[in-house]
Amino acid sequence: MTVRTRFAPSPTGMLHIGGVRTALFSWLYAKHHGGTFILRVEDTDRERSTDEATQVILDGMQWLGLKADEGPYYQTRRMDRYREVINQWLAEGKAYRCYCTKEELDALRAKQMAEKQNPRYDGRCRDCAEHRDDVPYVVRFKNPLDGAVVVDDQVHGRVVFENTQLDDLIIARSDGTPTYNFCVVVDDSDMQITHVMRGDDHLNNTPRQINMLRALGATPPVYAHLPMILGADGAKLSKRHGAVSVLQYQEEGYLPSALLNYLVRLGWSHGDQEVFTLDEMIQYFDIKDVNKSASAFNPEKLLWLNQQHIMQAPVSALAAGLREQLALLGVQTEDQVLLEGVANILRERAKTLKEMAQTGLYFFREFDAYEEKAAKKNLTAEALPILDGLIQSLQALPEWKAVAIHEVITAVSAQFAVGMGKVAQPLRVAACGSGVSPPIDTTVELLGCSLTLARLQRARRFIAG
C-alpha cells in the first residue's frame, strides 16, 4: 500500500500552530513511508472563507518547506462531483430528501431535551417516497440503524460508536450546497487517502464519515486524532499563548526548522533528543509514538530551540533571513559578504533573526546616538589620545584583517600603558554606538576601514563637543 496523507485546512481563519502541527505530522508520515502528501483547501464555507486566509495557508506551507506532492485542491472546484454523488445516493436509496421545517426541528429538539433525551433527528422523512419540488428540502444520508462503527485510532486506541446514537446527517443544504462532512468523505475517497491525521475534536465526525465511505464502496483510511495544544496555563490555546498566524513567527525571526522541531515534540518524542533536523524527523517519526494527552505550548522552549537552530544553520540561510529582517527595519542591502559575516558573528548571541537584525543594525546604517551609559564611561577626555593612536595605526594597516586589528589594539594598549579594555571599549563604543558587541577585532574588520575611521573621527568630535 502506498501511503497517502492529506492536510485539509479551512480558510476561515489564519493558519495557526495547531494546524501546522497537523500538517507536519501528515507530511512526516508520508515522507517516512515514501508516500504522497496532499494539500486540500476545504473552502465550502463561502461566507467565512477568505482569499487572504487561503494565501496565508499557501505562504505558510511554503515558508515551512512542507511541500505538497499533490495540490492544492479546492473543494469549491469540485461541486459537480459532490452533486453527482448526492444524486447517485438519492437514486440508490442511500440518501433522502427531508422536508422538515426549522420550526418542526426546533419543536422536536425541545421535546427530546424535556424528556432528557440526546437531541437528534428522528428520521421522520426517511421512508417518505413523496417528492415535493415546491417545498424546500435538505438531503440526509441514511445512516445504518443498527450495528456499530469501530475506529481503531492510532492515538486513542479502539473507540466504538453505536449507530443508534448517530442520526441521519445533512449532506446537502436547502440551497443545494454540500456540507463539510460529506465533502470530506468524497474527497478522501476520490483522492485515495490511506491515513487521516487531524485534531481529536474531529473524532466524533469519524463514525459518520466511515459509514458514508462504506456507502461509496471505499475502504476507510486509518485515523489518528491528535491531542489538543493548550496554553501553559492549561487553557485552550489563544493569541495570548502564541496562537497567531504562522507567518507572524517568520516576521518575529524564527527559523522554520526550529518551529517544526518544536511542534514535532508537542506530543511526540524520540528518546531524550530535543534538537532534530528535518531529515531526522522524517527518519524517526511514527504516528504510533504520539502521546494521547494534550500538550502545553511553551514559548520559552521555542525560543531556546530557535537559538539552537540559528547556531547550527548554514550561514547562507541565516544571511537570507537577516536580509528580510533588515528590510522590515527599512534597510535594503545585497552585500552578501557582509550579511554572512554579521550572521556568523551574531549567531551565538541572537535568539531570533529579528534580534540579530536589531543588534547588528550598526553594520548596515549609521546609529543615531551613543548608548548614554557606555559613552559617559568610555568616550572621555582620557580616551581622546587613545582614539588618536587607534586612528593613526589603523589607517596605516596594509591589510584590513581581524588579526592585524587585534595587534593594533595590543600595541596602542602598550603605548599608553593601559589595559586592553581601556583601548577596546572606547573603540567599541565609537564603532558600534554601545558597549556590547562581538569580538571587537572581528567587528571592526566587518565594518571596514573607511567606516571604522569615520566613526572614530565622530567619537573624537563627540568628546571635543
Side-chain angles (χ1 to χ4, degrees), residues 70-288:
E70 290 183 18
Y73 298 113
Y74 297 88
Q75 287 185 330
T76 48
R77 300 175 189 176
R78 289 174 46 78
M79 289 298 170
D80 288 346
R81 172 59 178 153
Y82 303 140
R83 280 190 281 269
E84 177 188 0
V85 174
I86 289 170
N87 290 332
Q88 177 187 336
W89 280 3
L90 285 170
E92 294 173 349
K94 295 176 180 178
Y96 61 93
R97 297 174 179 84
C98 173
Y99 299 95
C100 295
T101 65
K102 181 179 182 301
E103 290 73 22
E104 288 174 320
L105 294 176
D106 287 344
L108 171 63
R109 179 182 178 85
K111 180 176 181 293
Q112 289 172 332
M113 293 185 69
E115 296 174 355
K116 301 192 184 312
Q117 298 176 5
N118 187 29
R120 53 195 295 274
Y121 181 64
D122 61 1
R124 59 182 63 182
C125 290
R126 184 179 175 107
D127 298 315
C128 179
E130 183 182 4
H131 185 183
R132 295 179 287 173
D133 289 325
D134 58 331
V135 179
Y137 63 86
V138 299
V139 178
R140 292 182 182 270
F141 171 67
K142 274 189 179 180
N143 196 75
L145 297 176
D146 53 16
V149 181
V150 178
V151 181
D152 287 315
D153 191 86
Q154 297 295 289
V155 176
H156 293 272
R158 186 180 177 88
V159 187
V160 180
F161 297 87
E162 297 295 333
N163 277 319
T164 54
Q165 299 302 309
L166 307 174
D167 58 4
D168 292 345
L169 187 73
I170 294 175
I171 59 174
R173 302 177 185 90
S174 58
D175 62 0
T177 59
T179 58
Y180 165 79
N181 273 297
F182 170 73
C183 294
V184 168
V185 164
V186 177
D187 291 344
D188 284 348
S189 174
D190 288 356
M191 297 175 191
Q192 298 177 304
I193 302 301
T194 62
H195 293 76
V196 170
M197 295 169 204
R198 57 189 180 188
D200 57 11
D201 53 327
H202 286 280
L203 182 55
N204 286 335
N205 290 330
T206 303
R208 304 173 187 276
Q209 292 178 8
I210 288 177
N211 281 335
M212 286 190 284
L213 282 162
R214 288 173 176 157
L216 272 174
T219 301
V222 176
Y223 290 93
H225 289 89
L226 309 176
M228 292 181 65
I229 302 175
L230 304 175
D233 56 1
K236 185 179 179 181
L237 203 62
S238 65
K239 286 185 178 181
R240 65 189 175 91
H241 297 117
V244 294
S245 165
V246 64
L247 294 181
Q248 189 164 332
Y249 287 98
Q250 181 184 23
E251 292 177 12
E252 291 298 317
Y254 286 87
L255 296 183
S257 61
L259 185 58
L260 294 177
N261 186 166
Y262 178 73
L263 291 176
V264 82
R265 288 286 288 109
L266 284 182
W268 174 86
S269 62
H270 178 73
D272 296 326
Q273 186 172 342
E274 291 286 355
V275 181
F276 293 86
T277 65
L278 199 56
D279 286 342
E280 287 175 327
M281 291 186 228
I282 293 172
Q283 179 183 352
Y284 300 138
F285 183 81
D286 193 322
I287 196 65
K288 294 178 181 178

Side-chain angles (χ1 to χ4, degrees), residues 374-413:
K376 186 176 181 180
K377 181 178 180 181
N378 297 288
L379 299 186
T380 63
E382 290 77 14
L384 198 54
I386 292 174
L387 294 180
D388 287 337
L390 285 168
I391 291 170
Q392 184 178 0
S393 298
L394 289 172
Q395 64 188 3
L397 282 178
E399 188 179 30
W400 194 261
K401 295 293 183 182
V403 172
I405 294 164
H406 184 80
E407 289 174 354
V408 166
I409 296 171
T410 303
V412 172
S413 173

